[in-house]
C-alpha cells in the first residue's frame, strides 16, 4: 500500500492559490485536510473537532511545549497549530493530506514531517501580482504595499520547495500543480512494497 | 531560462514502454533524442550523424577510454554508446532529452549525468506481463521465459528510479508518466534564476 502524502501549498497573497487548491480538491476528493487547533473563539456554525479543535491558551501552550504540533503560528493574537499525531496516522493509512499554509508554517513542517511534498505557487511577475491585488479591490493602498513587501519576502523561500508553479495562465498552472501532486505519488519511497509485491505474487 | 532535463525511461520488455514513449513524444515535440554512436554497419537508409554516429571499433574504444560516453553497452557483438558532450550542450541550451534505455544504461547515466530524471514503467503483475508477451506472438517459449527472467532482474532496479509508473491501464499510466515529466520541469534546481528574475524585474 502506498504511503500517504503530506502536500504543502504556499503562495503569496494574490498568486491564485485558493482557486488552484479548489480545483485540486475537486479533482481529487480523497485529498484530506488536517483539523487545526486554535485558541480563538468558535464562530457561529463552527463545530469543535470538524472546523477546528478549540483550545484554551493554556491547553494550547501545554501541547505546544510537549511537541504536539507539526507547525504553529500566532495570528492577530490567536494561536493556531497543526497536531502531528492525527496527521501521521492519516499518512500511515495511505491518506493524502493538503496543507494550505504560509512559508513560516511550511518551514516548520519541513523540519517536523519528513517526506512532505512542498509546492510553491508564484505570480508571473511582481507587476502582475500588484495588478491582481488591485483588481480584487479588497485592500487600500497601504495594505497592497504591505502584501507586496510580504510577497517579496515569501518568494525568497520558494527555492527550497520541491516544485515551483508559475501561475501565468490558470489552466497551465493547474496542470503543473496536478503533475507535482501525481508525481509525488510515484516516488519509490512512498511505494515501499510495490516492486516486492509485484515480484512475490503471480 | 530553465535547464534541460535528461529523462530516462526504462521498462522490462512487454510493459508498454514504446507506446507510452510515442505518446509522450507526440504531446511534447520539443523533447529531443540524443544520437548514439555504434560500431555496427549502417543499414539501408540510415544516415551517419542522424540515425547513429557510425564508428570503427577502434575509434569507439578510444572515445570510451577517454570517457566520452555517458553510457555504453555491447549488444550482439556491436558497441553502442551515448556521447556525453552533445547531451550536456543540449541540456545547457534548455532542451529536454529522452533516453529510452535499459537499467544497465540507466545505472551508468545515474553516475555520469547528474540531475537526470529516471522513470521506470512496471507491469501490474508478472502474470499480466507474461500474458502481454504471449499476445505479441513474436517469441517462442524459451524467449518468453528469458524475457520474464530478465524482467525480474530489471524490476529489482526500479526502487532507485525517481518515479514508478505502473501500466495497468494505458491512459492512467500515460497520465502518471506525463506528470513525472512535467513535475521534473518544476524543480527549483532546474529553474535556478526563476525567483531571482521575478524579484529583479517589475
Amino acid at each position: 500500500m502506498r504511503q500517504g502524502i503530506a502536500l504543502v501549498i504556499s503562495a503569496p497573497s494574490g498568486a491564485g492559490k485558493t482557486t488552484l487548491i479548489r480545483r485540486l480538491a475537486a479533482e481529487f476528493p480523497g485529498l484530506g485536510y488536517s483539523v487545526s487547533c486554535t485558541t480563538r473563539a468558535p464562530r457561529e456554525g463552527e463545530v469543535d473537532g470538524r472546523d477546528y479543535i478549540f483550545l484554551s491558551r493554556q491547553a494550547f501552550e501545554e501541547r505546544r511545549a510537549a511537541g504536539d504540533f507539526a507547525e504553529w503560528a500566532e495570528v492577530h493574537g490567536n494561536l493556531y497549530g497543526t497536531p502531528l499525531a492525527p496527521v501521521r496516522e492519516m499518512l500511515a493509512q495511505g491518506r493524502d493530506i493538503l496543507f494550505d499554509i504560509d512559508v513560516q508554517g511550511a518551514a516548520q513542517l519541513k523540519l517536523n514531517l519528513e517526506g512532505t511534498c512542498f509546492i510553491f505557487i508564484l505570480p508571473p511577475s511582481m507587476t502582475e501580482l500588484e495588478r491582481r491585488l488591485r483588481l480584487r479591490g479588497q485592500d487600500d493602498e497601504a495594505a497592497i504595499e504591505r502584501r507586496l513587501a510580504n510577497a517579496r519576502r515569501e518568494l525568497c523561500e520558494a527555492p527550497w520547495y520541491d516544485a515551483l508553479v508559475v501561475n501565468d495562465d490558470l489552466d497551465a498552472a493547474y496542470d503543473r500543480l496536478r503533475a507535482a501532486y501525481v508525481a509525488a505519488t510515484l516516488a519509490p519511497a512512498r511505494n515501499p512494497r510495490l516492486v516486492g509485491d509485484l515480484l512475490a505474487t503471480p
Side-chain angles (χ1 to χ4, degrees), chain A:
Chain A
M1 191 192 64
R2 177 167 72 76
Q3 217 210 323
I5 295 166
L7 192 70
V8 166
I9 304 183
S10 302
S13 180
K17 182 178 64 169
T18 306
T19 309
L20 288 166
I21 284 182
R22 277 204 195 117
R23 228 161 128 169
L24 195 70
E27 183 176 349
F28 299 96
L31 205 47
Y33 285 82
S34 78
V35 179
S36 296
C37 296
T38 184
T39 60
R40 80 154 166 74
R43 290 179 192 146
E44 198 175 319
E46 284 185 339
V47 176
D48 187 37
R50 185 194 71 184
D51 300 298
Y52 283 98
I53 297 160
F54 295 100
L55 298 178
S56 68
R57 180 167 275 261
Q58 194 193 335
F60 190 103
E61 286 173 348
E62 280 170 14
R63 292 190 57 170
R64 186 178 64 189
D68 276 5
F69 295 126
E71 56 92 29
W72 69 273
E74 181 149 11
V75 182
H76 302 309
N78 295 309
L79 295 166
Y80 295 83
T82 303
L84 196 50
V87 166
R88 287 203 191 280
E89 198 178 319
M90 284 171 77
L91 296 176
Q93 289 165 359
R95 288 207 61 192
D96 298 339
I97 311 175
L98 180 67
F99 293 90
D100 173 357
I101 50 178
D102 66 10
V103 293
Q104 282 78 18
Q108 293 179 62
L109 274 187
K110 182 86 174 168
L111 296 173
N112 296 332
L113 196 64
E114 62 289 350
T116 300
C117 176
F118 294 90
I119 302 175
F120 200 103
I121 297 166
L122 305 91
S125 70
M126 292 308 288
T127 313
E128 173 60 16
L129 185 67
E130 185 173 345
R131 196 187 69 80
R132 289 184 195 169
L133 287 172
R134 290 191 192 286
L135 207 65
R136 294 202 304 200
Q138 72 179 46
D139 298 310
D140 61 18
E141 194 57 34
I144 284 177
E145 287 306 320
R146 214 161 41 234
R147 286 194 195 277
L148 288 172
N150 279 341
R152 281 193 198 90
R153 268 195 299 276
E154 287 163 357
L155 282 164
C156 293
E157 305 290 326
W160 62 257
Y161 279 62
D162 298 306
L164 305 180
V165 171
V166 176
N167 185 8
D168 44 1
D169 167 271
L170 194 64
D171 287 337
Y174 180 67
D175 186 54
R176 293 177 196 126
L177 170 62
R178 183 188 182 285
Y181 171 45
V182 173
T185 70
L186 308 175
R190 295 202 184 87
N191 295 276
R193 283 166 46 187
L194 179 63
V195 174
D197 285 355
L198 206 162
L199 288 170
T201 53

